[in-house]
Amino acid sequence: MELGTDAHKELFCRSFLDTHLTYEPETIAWPQLDEDALARLRGIPFWRVALETERQAGVMVSAFAETVDDPLIQEAVALQAQEESRHGRLLEFLINHYGVEIAEPAPTKIPANPAQEFTDFGFGECLDSFFAFGMFGLARQTGYFPESIFNIFEPILDEEARHIVFFVNWITYQQIQAGRGADLFRGMHASWHYSRALLHLAKSFGGAGGSGESFTAASSNSFIDNLTLESVFSMCLQENERRMSHFDDRLLQPRLFPRLSTIALQVLKRLPKRRSTPTTEMSAS
Ligand SMILES: [Fe+2]
Ligand SMILES: [Fe+2]
């Protein structure tokens, strides 16, 4: 299958549409949590930012879907909007159900340029999801919450994996269709957008997760003790591989952050070990 062809479009749209799950946040069997688990859940600092991000994603992706001419791509993008809105409703349900106190979330905004925002958001999601996969894996490994809570979020992260696989295929298809299919151009285009995503991440580190788009990595070290970069990169890679293994191998997958993390891990493994690692190491790096 050649990238940028109708066959490619069929594959990345159909595989996205066919793997949609039907569930509603309100009918999930939310577990009863003991006081310790409740306190840990309420203490996680990113619920408001996560809620705002997902709600805004729903509005923005929906606005973008309305501008898409191709009916099949339109259907897939509209479905992503539905999934993002459902993430927002799921977080809202969790916040209310477990009595998490948050400041009033910012209202959603109608995007001025939906195509541009969808593109920026897609590159941001590639970065954010890669870290989210790892942090989720680490939190699960340490038994931070009862397994029943992780089971609720497991399909959410798989949905994010579907979104980023759809996105990297969509953007490649678009560029080839627009005659900008040369590897060099696509590489430069992706680098520019990934730099913007990284800038968001850097701002999140500096501003306690305030940028909205890249909250997972930025907030991670505040809820799991003794994180090391090595453990984070290892788990991100392991979990990314696990989630990506479910996709048709003819589809493109986000590769930049797995590659960078593999290099970082090789460097870190060669560095002399420190006796203890401060939990702020990620933000200092
Ligand atoms: Fe989402
Ligand atoms: Fe998403």
Side-chain angles (χ1 to χ4, degrees), residues 1-268:
M1 186 211 62
E2 206 180 319
L3 295 174
T5 58
D6 275 358
H8 179 216
K9 180 184 76 176
E10 283 281 326
L11 183 66
F12 71 77
C13 290
R14 292 272 168 232
S15 51
F16 182 77
L17 292 163
D18 293 348
T19 49
H20 172 69
L21 298 176
T22 50
Y23 65 88
E24 290 305 321
E26 298 77 15
T27 55
I28 290 173
W30 293 91
Q32 184 109 34
L33 297 181
D34 63 27
E35 281 307 311
D36 282 353
L38 259 184
R40 280 197 293 272
L41 185 95
R42 289 171 179 158
I44 289 179
F46 59 57
W47 292 121
R48 181 182 58 82
V49 176
L51 176 65
E52 287 174 353
T53 304
E54 297 290 356
R55 278 180 176 170
Q56 183 57 36
V59 170
M60 181 276 294
V61 180
S62 175
F64 174 59
E66 285 173 27
T67 70
V68 175
D69 292 329
D70 184 286
L72 187 58
I73 297 179
Q74 204 270 343
E75 190 183 351
V77 175
L79 185 68
Q80 183 183 342
Q82 208 182 305
E83 292 181 1
E84 299 293 14
S85 300
R86 187 168 59 182
H87 292 169
R89 286 191 288 116
L90 184 131
L91 289 172
E92 187 181 348
F93 192 93
L94 176 145
I95 287 165
N96 292 332
H97 186 71
Y98 293 117
V100 181
E101 285 182 20
I102 58 164
E104 184 64 24
T108 53
K109 293 181 289 228
I110 302 295
N113 184 344
Q116 181 64 55
E117 290 194 30
F118 182 76
T119 304
D120 287 346
F121 177 77
F123 282 111
E125 268 206 309
C126 291
L127 170 66
D128 216 27
S129 299
F130 180 71
F131 280 106
F133 298 159
M135 297 321 304
F136 184 82
L138 283 169
R140 189 173 216 163
Q141 193 178 56
T142 58
Y144 197 77
F145 292 122
E147 191 56 19
S148 48
I149 287 285
F150 291 108
N151 289 340
I152 291 173
F153 279 91
E154 179 69 23
I156 313 295
L157 290 190
D158 276 341
E159 281 169 350
E160 298 300 5
R162 284 170 54 257
H163 296 171
I164 59 178
V165 169
F166 176 81
F167 174 74
V168 294
N169 284 276
W170 169 80
I171 194 112
T172 301
Y173 172 83
Q174 288 296 115
Q175 296 212 303
I176 293 173
Q177 288 283 312
R180 296 194 294 264
D183 283 352
L184 178 64
F185 184 89
R186 282 198 276 131
M188 281 165 57
H189 180 254
S191 303
W192 157 247
H193 281 279
Y194 279 133
S195 312
R196 287 172 58 142
L198 278 166
L199 197 65
H200 267 290
L201 180 67
K203 281 182 187 162
S204 297
F205 275 130
S211 82
E213 272 182 83
S214 295
F215 56 87
T216 44
S219 306
S220 55
N221 56 353
S222 56
F223 73 94
I224 301 179
D225 290 337
N226 300 316
L227 274 186
T228 63
L229 281 175
E230 211 169 321
S231 64
V232 172
F233 285 135
S234 295
M235 188 59 92
C236 287
L237 283 167
Q238 186 184 314
E239 285 293 288
N240 184 66
E241 201 172 315
R242 178 172 76 82
R243 293 186 192 275
M244 290 298 159
S245 68
H246 302 139
F247 291 90
D248 189 310
D249 55 18
R250 291 169 296 171
L251 288 171
L252 293 170
Q253 294 181 4
R255 298 269 186 226
L256 180 67
F257 297 109
R259 277 188 194 136
L260 289 177
S261 300
T262 304
I263 295 167
L265 208 50
Q266 283 163 355
V267 172
L268 286 166

